[in-house]
Structure formats: C-alpha cells, structure tokens
C-alpha cells in the first residue's frame, strides 16, 4: 500500500467518513458513482470494484461486460455536503477503468485523455488548462419541455441583489474550495440567470476531473439554495448560450513553450503552430467539443459564440483568442479556445484539442492572418472572402466531418470513436423526427 492510499484510509477513520463514492465518467460525460463502505476500501485499492460494463453507455458489449473501477487515491476529497439524515460526511475518488487482466479500458474517457498527455510528454510538453465555465440558474428544470424561468434579470458583471439565490456564488465557491478546486473569478454573465466561474489552471487530467466535480457540486449547491442549475448549452433562444472557454498552454519543464519575448504578440512558433492545428481541424473535432443537438443553437447564433475557424489577439468573436492582459508575463502566455460548451465530456474535449494542437506543432502548420473585426457581424460571403472556414452549424454536419477524421479516430481510439458516432447519429435522427411547435405554428394551416 502506497502513501496516498494510507493517507486516504487514515483520513476516513479520523473524520468518521461513512461512505466513499467512486466516480467515473461514461463516454457522453455523465458522472457515474458507486459507494463503498470504509471497511472495504483497502481491498478496493488492491482489487478494484467489478461492475457490468455493458450497463454503462458505450463501455463494453455483453460478452465482454466484466469491468473494474480502480480508485485513484490522488483524487480523494471529502464532499462539502453533510447527510441531511444524520450529518455524516462522504468522500469521493475518481476511478480508472480497467479490464479483468489489468489493461486500461478502451472505453474510459480518463484513459483517452491520459494517452494524449503521454504523447505530449514524449514531445517534452505538459499541458495546462484553465476553463471559464458558464451555466444558468433557473427556478426549475422540470418544465415538461417548456421554457425555464431564470432566477434573476441581471446582466454582465451585475451585482444581483434581488434574485432567488443571492448567496449562490459564495456558497458555490466555498464548496468548490473545500474539495480542492481553486477558483480564480466568478461573476454574473450576460443573460438573466447566467453565471460564470473560472477555475485556476491545472494539468489537463486534473482539470477534467475538476470539471466533472464542478458540475456535480454546482447542481447540489443550487438545490440547497432552492433553485436549479443547468449546463444545457442554449436553454433560451433570446439569450447567449453557455460556453466553457478553455485556456491552454504547453510547458517544457518550468518554461512556457508558448512565450516568445521577441514576438509582437509574445507568442512563440510553438504556440502559433498549436493554434494553427486547432483551426485546421476545427470542424473535425466539433462533434466532441459541442456534442449535443442543442450545442449548435449556440454556435449558429453567433451570439457570444464563434462561427468560423479564425483567430485573433483579444478578439472575442474568433474561435481562438490570444489574451493580451499579461503579454509580458511569460508564465501567463496562453491561447483561449472559445468553441467548447459546458455540456461536453471534458476528458474527450481536452484530448481532441491537444491532438489537433500537437499535430500542428509536429507538422509545422502555418498560422493564417488574424481576424481584425467582429466576425459575428460578417455575412457568410464575407467570411469566405476573408478565408475563414465556417464551423459546423448542426450536429449532422459535425458528425460527417468527424467520420472522415483520422485525427479524431486516433485521439479517441477505435472503440470510443465508433460508439460516439453511433450514439450521436441516433440523437440526430431522433431530433430530426420531431415535429416542433414552430413547424405547427407556421405550417399547419397550409
């Protein structure tokens, strides 16, 4: 037994933890959990917990259903919520999924991301990620398909004092900090009920774990405040959707590989090729970074969302932005990818973003000219004339681009790639078969 495992067992005993929740994620990004009693945890560290992988979306076929969840003791945290029944505490650990022979499961999103991190390490890089996570607070999510009601009427940076959950952000940040998730900023976003919380940078795998924990904790804090949180990309037609703007940088040891003090933007050749890789493969990775039918209501609206594969310095209408706040601070030189939304699977999203950027570096992609104006105000013809390739505007287009992508197939692995496509084609076909209220309103009398 290693020191981390010993620390976990000692802490559980000292804090009288009653239940330990073992967390993992399915291919779509839904959090899964199995609870283990503290007395069984030492054996769980040794052997893992066996479960029926065929019962989890995309994990395994019935004939190969024996699957094992092995807890990662480095992710141990005491959850901030006491049991309402007896005030007892619970803790959680993320798990790596393996096969009975000990080999990593081909279906485990954590393993997908770890493979990409290993590729980066072979190139001498460590990838750090810092997300800006947006979401809505609404009075209820049980609306029977009707429009939800936001909890306030605030706007960007408003100090909301009359909303239905005035203490929500303070409670949320306290809860996040208690499980080791460091918060940099929080504020009210542009739309009524919309919030943003920015997390302090971490390596890509730790951050993907943090995003999964973030979504769980935010929903729990919302419930404790008498409201509900939704990470649906665009729940309101008239308001901007919720993004997960993702800041990324590569470090070589202690040196930021994206920084060049002699460049006008303080951006190195490595950083430029990384951006070029993401732009070149933007359409191919779109189905992963924006995986739901609803995701493209946000993208196609152009309202606070990029419509084309373009980049710019400080340009928030571009897909990739180079922040200029601290351009002379080497450690802070980074790029911001503005396409991902808050309902993505963070493990798969970070994996394909890394894969695209690293390919740009390996093959020396050239960065095109930056976008100077507001791309959202340009017509499709103007965007084409400027050399900007539009991003997919629906899931059908995104899946067709993904199907032909060797880069995405390699990054996800054959099993995840094939399952993801099958699952999302089912979603698209189901969506296409619906007769919407808009159609009935405008066509029924014809």
């Amino acid at each position: 037994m290693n020191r981390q495992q010993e620390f976990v067992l000692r802490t559980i005993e000292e804090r009288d933890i009653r239940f330990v929740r073992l967390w993992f994620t399915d291919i779509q990004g839904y959090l899964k959990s199995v609870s283990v009693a503290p007395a069984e945890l030492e054996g769980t560290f040794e052997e893992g917990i066996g479960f029926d992988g065929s019962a989890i979306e995309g994990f395994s076929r019935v004939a190969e259903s024996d699957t094992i969840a092995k807890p990662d003791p480095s992710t141990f945290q005491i959850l901030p919520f006491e049991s309402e029944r007896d005030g007892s505490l619970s803790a959680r650990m993320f798990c790596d999924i393996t096969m009975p022979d000990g080999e990593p499961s081909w279906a485990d999103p954590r393993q997908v991301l770890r493979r990409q991190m290993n590729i980066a390490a072979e190139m001498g890089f460590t990838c750090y990620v810092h997300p800006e996570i947006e979401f809505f607070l609404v009075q209820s999510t049980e609306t029977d398909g009707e429009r939800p009601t936001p909890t306030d009427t605030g706007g960007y940076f408003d100090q909301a004092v009359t909303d239905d959950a005035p203490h929500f952000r303070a409670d949320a940040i306290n809860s996040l900090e208690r499980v080791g998730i460091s918060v940099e900023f929080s504020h009210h976003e542009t739309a009524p009920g919309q919030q943003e919380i920015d997390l302090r940078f971490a390596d890509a795998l730790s951050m993907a774990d943090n995003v999964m924990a973030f979504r769980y904790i935010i929903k729990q804090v919302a419930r404790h405040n008498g409201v509900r949180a939704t990470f649906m990309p665009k729940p309101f037609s008239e308001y901007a959707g919720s993004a997960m703007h993702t800041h990324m940088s590569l470090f070589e040891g202690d040196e930021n590989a994206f920084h060049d003090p002699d460049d006008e933007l303080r951006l190195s050749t490595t950083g430029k090729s990384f951006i070029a890789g993401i732009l070149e493969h933007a359409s191919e990775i779109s189905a992963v970074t924006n995986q739901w039918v609803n995701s493209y209501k946000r993208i196609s609206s152009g309202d606070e969302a990029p419509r084309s594969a373009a980049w710019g310095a400080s340009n928030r209408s571009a897909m990739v932005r180079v922040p200029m706040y601290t351009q002379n601070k080497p450690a802070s030189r980074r790029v911001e990818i503005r396409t991902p939304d808050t309902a993505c699977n963070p493990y798969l999203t970070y994996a394909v973003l890394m894969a695209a950027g690293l390919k740009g570096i390996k093959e020396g992609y050239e960065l095109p000219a930056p976008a100077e104006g507001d791309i959202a105000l340009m017509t499709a013809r103007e965007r084409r004339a400027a050399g900007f390739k539009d991003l997919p505007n629906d899931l059908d287009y995104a899946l067709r681009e993904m199907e032909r992508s060797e880069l995405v197939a390699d990054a996800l692995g054959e099993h995840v790639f094939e399952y993801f496509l099958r699952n999302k084609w089912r979603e698209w076909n189901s969506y296409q078969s619906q007769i919407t209220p808009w159609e009935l309103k405008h066509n029924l009398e014809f």
Side-chain angles (χ1 to χ4, degrees):
M1 181 169 294
N2 62 39
R3 289 183 178 179
Q4 287 181 326
Q5 293 170 342
E6 291 175 351
F7 169 78
V8 170
L9 294 175
R10 186 170 63 252
T11 302
I12 287 173
E13 182 177 0
E14 292 173 351
R15 299 294 300 273
D16 192 27
I17 305 297
R18 302 290 181 87
F19 298 98
V20 180
R21 301 180 188 180
L22 304 184
W23 283 358
F24 60 96
T25 306
D26 71 8
I27 291 175
Q28 295 183 83
Y30 286 108
L31 187 65
K32 303 295 181 178
S33 176
V34 57
S35 291
V36 60
E40 302 299 322
L41 192 56
E42 186 172 348
T44 303
F45 279 136
E46 183 69 26
E47 300 177 358
I49 292 283
F51 66 97
D52 178 5
S54 67
I56 304 297
E57 283 282 349
F59 261 43
S60 61
R61 294 170 292 187
V62 172
E64 303 164 339
S65 60
D66 287 347
T67 314
I68 297 171
K70 300 203 74 171
D72 179 350
S74 69
T75 66
F76 174 82
Q77 289 288 347
I78 298 173
L79 292 172
F81 312 112
E82 296 180 347
S83 167
E84 294 181 359
R85 179 177 298 176
D86 60 8
S88 61
L89 292 172
S90 298
R92 61 90 165 140
M93 281 183 284
F94 282 94
C95 293
D96 290 316
I97 308 301
T98 70
M99 306 308 291
D101 61 3
E103 287 296 308
S105 168
W106 52 76
D108 181 9
R110 246 180 149 236
Q111 300 288 8
V112 171
L113 178 52
R114 187 177 281 116
R115 285 199 306 270
Q116 220 37 245
M117 293 175 68
N118 290 339
I119 292 171
E122 290 170 2
M123 297 173 65
F125 299 126
T126 301
C127 180
Y128 290 99
V129 179
H130 147 57
E132 304 173 1
I133 307 178
E134 298 172 352
F135 56 94
F136 279 92
L137 292 180
V138 295
Q139 291 182 359
S140 175
T141 53
E142 298 176 2
T143 65
D144 195 28
E146 297 300 315
R147 180 185 184 277
T149 302
T151 57
D152 62 65
T153 58
Y156 190 63
F157 268 39
D158 275 0
Q159 178 63 47
V161 294
T162 58
D163 60 22
D164 294 334
H167 305 298
F168 169 81
R169 284 207 303 273
D171 291 347
I173 292 169
N174 287 335
S175 296
L176 292 167
E177 295 280 357
R178 285 174 62 185
V179 296
I181 300 176
S182 298
V183 173
E184 282 197 337
F185 309 105
S186 73
H187 60 85
H188 198 287
E189 253 297 336
T190 57
Q194 192 176 35
Q195 315 293 321
E196 176 178 312
I197 298 179
D198 301 357
L199 305 186
R200 182 172 173 78
F201 73 91
D203 70 87
L205 183 59
S206 297
M207 186 55 72
D209 288 343
N210 286 348
V211 171
M212 294 304 303
F214 178 98
R215 293 200 294 225
Y216 170 80
I217 289 169
I218 291 299
K219 284 179 175 289
Q220 294 301 315
V221 172
R223 285 179 177 274
H224 291 170
N225 277 265
V227 296
R228 296 294 185 267
T230 176
F231 293 92
M232 183 179 179
K234 192 170 170 63
F236 299 99
S237 60
E238 68 270 41
Y239 303 135
S242 291
M244 188 175 74
H245 300 153
T246 298
H247 298 248
M248 302 183 77
S249 58
L250 297 178
F251 273 69
E252 297 175 292
D254 295 330
E255 299 295 322
N256 188 343
F258 283 2
H259 183 260
D260 180 354
D262 299 322
D263 182 75
E264 181 182 4
L265 299 178
R266 307 297 189 267
L267 186 64
S268 69
T269 300
T270 296
K272 292 175 181 177
S273 293
F274 188 88
I275 295 173
I278 289 176
L279 297 180
E280 176 66 23
H281 299 285
S283 292
E284 300 166 47
I285 66 177
S286 179
V288 178
T289 61
N290 306 91
Q291 68 163 330
W292 303 102
V293 165
N294 181 254
S295 298
Y296 296 87
K297 303 295 177 70
R298 168 183 165 256
I299 294 292
S300 63
S301 73
D303 189 5
E304 299 280 328
R307 306 180 83 170
S308 301
W311 77 282
S314 298
N315 191 339
R316 283 179 166 79
S317 69
M319 175 186 171
V320 181
R321 186 177 79 94
V322 179
M324 302 302 290
Y325 300 122
T326 55
Q327 56 183 304
N328 293 315
K329 186 178 179 182
S332 296
R333 177 41 74 230
R334 62 193 186 274
V335 300
E336 177 191 350
I337 300 97
R338 296 177 61 83
T339 35
D341 60 47
T342 54
C344 70
N345 182 325
Y347 301 98
L348 303 187
T349 290
Y350 295 163
V352 296
L353 288 174
M354 287 178 63
L358 291 174
K359 186 170 184 180
I361 294 171
K362 287 180 195 174
E363 301 190 9
Y365 287 9
E366 292 289 331
L367 188 62
E372 302 292 347
D374 188 343
I375 302 172
L377 298 179
M378 299 171 69
T379 65
R381 181 180 297 177
E382 289 170 336
R383 294 194 297 272
R384 287 195 297 270
F388 304 149
K389 183 179 179 181
D390 276 0
L391 297 168
N393 58 10
D394 60 34
L395 185 61
D396 173 76
Y397 180 5
L399 292 174
R400 294 182 191 280
E401 291 288 293
M402 178 177 166
E403 275 186 326
R404 66 176 184 82
S405 174
E406 292 184 11
L407 177 133
V408 178
D410 289 342
L412 299 184
E414 181 182 357
H415 178 89
V416 173
F417 182 74
E418 292 296 336
Y419 170 79
F420 189 97
L421 283 170
R422 287 198 305 271
N423 178 275
K424 290 302 168 181
W425 277 124
R426 283 199 302 269
E427 178 186 338
W428 175 252
N429 291 333
S430 175
Y431 172 72
Q432 284 288 82
S433 70
Q434 303 302 306
I435 307 301
T436 66
W438 188 95
E439 293 169 275
L440 294 172
K441 180 179 179 181
H442 289 85
N443 302 138
L444 192 60
E445 291 188 2
F446 187 79

